[in-house]
Amino acid sequence: MACGPIFPDAWRANTMTENLFARLERRFPEDRYRLLIQTDTEAQYTYEGMDQETAGYAGVFARLNLEPGDRVAALVDKSAQSLFLYLACLRFGLIYVPLNTAYRRKELEYFLGDAEPALVIGRSQDESSLRNLLPSAPHVYTLDSSGKGTLAEAASTALPFTGVRAVRSDDTAAIVYTSGTTGQPKGAMITHGNLAGNAETLVTAWSFTADDTLLHVLPLCHVHGLFVACHCALWSGARMRFLTEPDTAKILYYLPEASVMMGVPTHYARLIDSGQLTRDRCGNMRLFISGSAPLQPQTFQDFEQRTGHKILERYGMTETGMNTSNPVPGPRLPGTVGPPLPGIEVRIVKPDETPARTGETGNLQIRGSNVFKGYWHKPEKTSEAFTDDGYFITGDLASQDENRYIRIDGRRKDLIISGGYNIYPKEVELCIDGIPEVIESAVIGLPHPDYGETVCAVVVLRSGITLSEAALIHHVKKELASFKAPKSVCFVDELPRNAMGKVRKNVLRERLSA
Ligand code: MLC
Ligand code: AMP
């Protein structure tokens, strides 16, 4: 049934919560009962259900006397309830801090120590280790993938908080951790204004309406799955099919009912490899969107050949939300991330900060209301990240053609993107160098047909010592999230260095790619 825009009035919301809850108040009653989420276990949640569940969680926050600006860290599996938890934080003016359940003890210790949450929500199986990690005990509640846990129990007896706390657009809505090339990860403070502005821009650019069904296949602990995907649906009143695991068979199963999908290039490569991707299966689809990592032109072409759809590639970052996008109506060019989105200033400069010419590669910088307000508790890192005239320095290398289409040509930052996850070589090197048998290591990304890039460790062992590849990988997986572990290890006598003593990673990449 075609139902047209769910928000027919011209009223403009300044925050996600204003959009969601204030507009919900103004809707016709039947709109409240529209579906918001269907899961892959066929549980269903309406916009009304979301309103009630978030009011329940916010009631718990009120009972705990949480104050606006307090942080709530979430180490939870993907579920409808984990989205409601995030929305409840927005509703109550709390700062949401999503954490990946793949993180290990040391990683969590750092994030929790840095964010200093007043409340931590974790899975039941992690409850006691979380309490051990947090000696100064903020409140700890549990939320499992089933939606059950002590948070739901507390919500069932709390007085629901049915209001919406007023926030300013430059108040921080979320802190999302992103690793640095050196030193510790940094918490990017993303404001309510950043979120609302980017959501509105994307809904318009990608023509989202309440008629859409988004096939949601991404984790909710990073900006792609949480902000880009969910916000487009929430802002436009659309429906989402939530897949809790990134399972290709399930994606294929649910494709026929969906109209939009967002994924990382690995999702699209796997769909092509399945051999079951057909035009018929995509009969209801209007848009496939890819981001977080470079989409290979070959994947773009193979996908178009099988489905008739040109994947729309866009480019963004945790700190900035989405910056550029190929268009919905208009040419989508493989190997490019499209022109800048409306209202977002993108410039490419040479190392001396003068503008790069058309087609010339330079440093990509971004300015606009989408750009975060700074790194949590790290004012020096914040000022290093911006130019004097307020552009954010992305660390990406790019060029722009005469039609303003941008091509990401590389990265100035030493970063590996594996299946859409960012892995900082330095962090993995420090971990490997901590193994007593190792003298030193260099971690590089190598091309990979499934993950785009994978982690390879080049390792120098102490003389006369042996260490197996499996033992080394096992050590890394104990210390770091397992997606950061090398998929291959190469033992060498010494690392190639330049005259300054710096490891020549490009030489290693060339040698090992071959
Ligand atoms: C999982 N594994 C990975 C991996 N994902 N290894 C390398 N790279 C990855 N991306 C490892 C697991 O640790 C596990 O190891 C094993 O592979 C199997 O795990 P799985 O859960 O079955 O994973 P898989 O099906 O391979 O997942 C692949 C994937 C997933 C691509 C679907 O990684 C994913 O959802 N990626 C999306 C990440 C994302 O949302 N990025 C957006 C960041 S925001 P073991 O040893 O435990 O067996 C951003 C900004 C922007 O970048 O522009 O969007
Ligand atoms: P994150 O720090 O997790 O937000 O990752 C942001 C980084 O992902 C960017 O700085 C880019 O290097 C990369 N990225 C995101 N989208 C694309 C894309 N479409 N093509 C190439 N790189 C991308």
Side-chain angles (χ1 to χ4, degrees):
M1 180 184 71
C3 32
I6 198 166
F7 309 127
D9 51 42
W11 182 71
R12 198 173 165 278
N14 291 313
T15 64
M16 175 54 67
T17 40
E18 217 174 89
N19 171 300
L20 261 185
F21 300 109
R23 285 185 176 207
L24 209 52
E25 283 297 300
R26 294 156 61 106
R27 284 184 203 165
F28 296 112
E30 60 269 26
D31 286 341
R32 296 179 69 85
Y33 297 101
R34 288 169 55 87
L35 275 180
L36 167 58
I37 294 176
Q38 286 177 293
T39 67
D40 47 9
T41 53
E42 299 306 326
Q44 300 195 347
Y45 303 88
T46 59
Y47 276 82
E48 167 87 352
M50 177 278 298
D51 190 20
Q52 284 171 2
E53 295 226 23
T54 54
Y57 294 162
V60 178
F61 303 156
R63 198 159 70 184
L64 296 173
N65 294 319
L66 298 188
E67 295 286 340
D70 279 345
R71 273 81 57 215
V72 176
L75 183 71
V76 292
D77 289 321
K78 180 178 179 180
S79 65
Q81 284 73 18
S82 65
L83 177 64
F84 301 153
L85 169 64
Y86 157 64
L87 294 173
C89 291
L90 294 186
R91 183 171 199 160
F92 205 71
L94 304 174
I95 298 177
Y96 188 67
V97 186
L99 297 171
N100 194 323
T101 52
Y103 293 142
R104 296 285 187 242
R105 188 186 168 86
K106 249 170 70 188
E107 294 165 299
L108 288 175
E109 210 162 13
Y110 171 77
F111 293 129
L112 295 172
D114 189 62
E116 297 176 317
L119 170 64
V120 178
I121 313 286
R123 304 177 296 184
S124 296
Q125 73 256 39
D126 299 326
E127 188 179 5
S128 63
S129 52
L130 277 172
R131 285 188 193 280
N132 289 339
L133 268 180
L134 297 158
S136 65
H139 306 286
V140 178
Y141 283 82
T142 60
L143 174 62
D144 292 321
S145 54
S146 61
K148 298 201 170 71
T150 55
L151 179 66
E153 283 162 27
S156 68
T157 58
L159 185 68
F161 178 88
T162 54
V164 176
R165 282 255 175 97
V167 286
R168 289 194 319 257
S169 67
D170 69 343
D171 284 339
T172 303
I175 295 177
V176 184
Y177 281 91
T178 161
S179 295
T181 40
T182 54
Q184 301 281 24
K186 297 165 285 189
M189 293 187 285
I190 299 163
T191 67
H192 288 274
N194 296 149
L195 295 177
N198 217 223
E200 194 176 42
T201 302
L202 296 179
V203 163
T204 308
W206 296 340
S207 307
F208 264 86
T209 73
D211 293 336
D212 276 313
T213 297
L214 173 72
L215 185 50
H216 193 295
V217 303
L218 290 154
L220 291 181
C221 50
H222 298 284
V223 305
H224 194 168
L226 186 59
F227 299 153
V228 187
C230 291
H231 283 187
C232 280
L234 292 163
W235 196 269
S236 56
R239 183 170 80 101
M240 289 185 275
R241 171 68 71 176
F242 254 34
L243 303 194
T244 42
E245 299 297 332
D247 178 10
T248 305
K250 279 198 178 164
I251 297 178
L252 285 162
Y253 180 79
Y254 286 113
L255 261 183
E257 66 169 39
S259 61
V260 187
M261 176 178 146
M262 292 185 201
V264 298
T266 303
H267 290 114
Y268 294 111
R270 288 181 183 182
L271 283 171
I272 294 166
D273 282 351
S274 73
Q276 292 174 50
L277 188 64
T278 58
R279 279 171 193 255
D280 275 357
R281 221 179 256 282
C282 302
N284 196 38
M285 286 295 297
R286 67 171 185 85
L287 190 59
F288 289 94
I289 302 173
S290 176
S292 304
L295 180 74
Q296 295 308 317
Q298 190 63 51
T299 310
F300 178 98
Q301 278 144 18
D302 290 349
F303 199 86
E304 185 180 11
Q305 199 210 334
R306 282 171 177 74
T307 65
H309 284 273
K310 290 182 197 294
I311 300 174
L312 177 152
E313 185 172 7
R314 57 62 177 175
Y315 159 78
M317 286 185 81
T318 299
E319 287 94 331
T320 62
M322 299 303 101
N323 301 311
T324 75
S325 172
N326 275 283
V328 168
R332 292 179 205 155
L333 305 185
T336 81
V337 292
L341 282 157
I344 295 171
E345 295 173 81
V346 175
R347 75 179 180 196
I348 298 171
V349 296
K350 295 193 278 199
D352 64 2
E353 296 294 315
T354 58
R357 287 188 309 274
T358 301
E360 192 179 10
T361 298
N363 299 318
L364 184 59
Q365 301 180 347
I366 309 283
R367 191 166 68 174
S369 61
N370 57 316
V371 177
F372 79 132
K373 78 172 181 192
Y375 294 113
W376 172 252
H377 281 167
K378 289 193 168 45
E380 308 82 40
K381 295 283 173 202
T382 303
S383 53
E384 281 167 22
F386 286 89
T387 63
D388 290 344
D389 55 352
Y391 277 82
F392 175 67
I393 304 164
T394 64
D396 290 312
L397 298 171
S399 53
Q400 192 166 24
D401 73 11
E402 54 288 350
N403 297 316
R404 302 180 66 230
Y405 277 62
I406 297 204
R407 205 175 274 281
I408 306 295
D409 297 318
R411 298 170 209 135
R412 210 176 50 170
K413 51 198 175 192
D414 191 12
L415 164 71
I416 299 167
I417 305 186
S418 169
Y421 278 134
N422 288 6
I423 299 158
Y424 283 85
K426 189 85 206 153
E427 187 183 19
V428 185
E429 285 162 6
L430 286 173
C431 175
I432 294 173
D433 295 350
I435 303 175
E437 291 87 343
V438 171
I439 295 181
E440 60 173 351
S441 64
V443 165
I444 54 170
L446 293 183
H448 189 269
D450 183 38
Y451 288 124
E453 267 183 307
T454 47
V455 176
C456 169
V458 186
V459 180
V460 183
L461 293 177
R462 296 193 184 285
S463 71
I465 299 275
T466 55
L467 176 73
S468 72
E469 173 169 338
L472 186 142
I473 293 173
H474 179 72
H475 172 89
V476 177
K477 284 187 181 176
K478 261 192 350 212
E479 301 278 311
L480 301 175
S482 65
F483 63 81
K484 299 177 187 173
K487 298 274 191 252
S488 58
V489 182
C490 178
F491 294 102
V492 294
D493 292 335
E494 59 178 354
L495 297 174
R497 292 182 185 277
N498 65 16
M500 313 287 286
K502 212 168 167 270
V503 176
R504 296 174 67 198
K505 288 196 171 180
N506 52 339
V507 170
L508 290 174
R509 266 190 293 269
E510 272 162 33
R511 238 184 248 165
L512 291 164
S513 302

